[in-house]
Amino acid sequence: MKRTYLFDIDGTLLTIKNLANRRIISGVLQHFGLTQHNIAGLDFAGRTDRCIFSSLLGHSGEEQFQLVKEVYLRELGRQLKKKDIHVFDGVMRALTHLESKKALTGLLTGNFEKAARIKLSQMNLDHYFAFGAFGDDHADRNDLPHIAFQQIAERSGGRFKPSDVVIIGDTPRDIEAAHSFGAISVAVCTGSFGRKQLEAHKPDVILSSLDEFPEWDRAA
Ligand SMILES: [Mg+2]
């Protein structure tokens, strides 16, 4: 079947262990004297980096946002190590399955583009994703499928419709982004949401992990 695939990163392909990402963000905020924030309880799931940082910075303005972003990306690149990242079961299986069928595969993630590439390249996963829509410019995840789809159209010569796009993610926000665009929604239970919670948002399919992805893709 003719399809193209867009993957979320955190909770779907991998997770950052030992709260390394929060430690780095905390350090960056301290660097700017923004010590009033307690980020331990902050909800990151499914939110774009722009949305997360904007809420931390309040009304500080675009210039401050860009400065903080720059330092965050520098520190992420410097501090995030392979040992801080866990790649979920079945990820390699799913990606090699898509590679072997030469499927057009990209990212749909709230991460800043550079943050996404830093995380993936640490685990040698970067090269599976030729393009993507990222959280640099958009606070709302629902804007991202349109951006990814423009790139899909350019790369495929307009071969795909929104209903040929499969959006794979671990949160209700991923499901909502797929629904809002008319794409197929694949939810995975490897993030912070359980099967029951994801079911309530009516994805097209729920997989325990990406280990089940090739079978679903062949059958569906
Ligand atoms: Mg996620």
Side-chain angles (χ1 to χ4, degrees), residues 118-158:
I118 289 168
K119 292 175 185 177
L120 292 171
S121 60
Q122 278 287 355
M123 308 313 280
N124 275 328
L125 297 174
D126 199 24
H127 64 279
Y128 289 104
F129 305 96
F131 67 98
F134 303 91
D136 295 77
D137 302 320
H138 295 269
D140 187 346
R141 199 177 188 93
N142 291 350
D143 294 332
L144 298 181
H146 298 273
I147 296 167
F149 193 68
Q150 276 171 13
Q151 298 188 50
I152 290 169
E154 281 165 24
R155 285 162 190 272
S156 68

Side-chain angles (χ1 to χ4, degrees), residues 108 140-146 162 167 172-185 201 204:
L108 194 155
D140 187 346
R141 199 177 188 93
N142 291 350
D143 294 332
L144 298 181
H146 298 273
I167 294 180
R173 289 187 174 106
D174 299 88
I175 300 169
E176 188 192 314
H179 284 163
S180 74
F181 188 65
I184 299 164
S185 169
H201 297 270
D204 293 283

Side-chain angles (χ1 to χ4, degrees), residues 1-6 97-98 101-105 149 152-153 155-167 182-184 213 216-220:
M1 185 187 256
K2 187 179 71 170
R3 280 179 177 163
T4 174
Y5 302 83
L6 297 171
H97 159 75
L98 293 177
K101 68 177 219 175
K102 296 188 170 56
L104 192 54
T105 303
F149 193 68
I152 290 169
R155 285 162 190 272
S156 68
R159 269 193 305 132
F160 296 101
K161 307 187 291 293
S163 57
D164 301 322
V165 179
V166 181
I167 294 180
I184 299 164
F213 180 83
W216 168 78
D217 188 52
R218 283 188 200 104

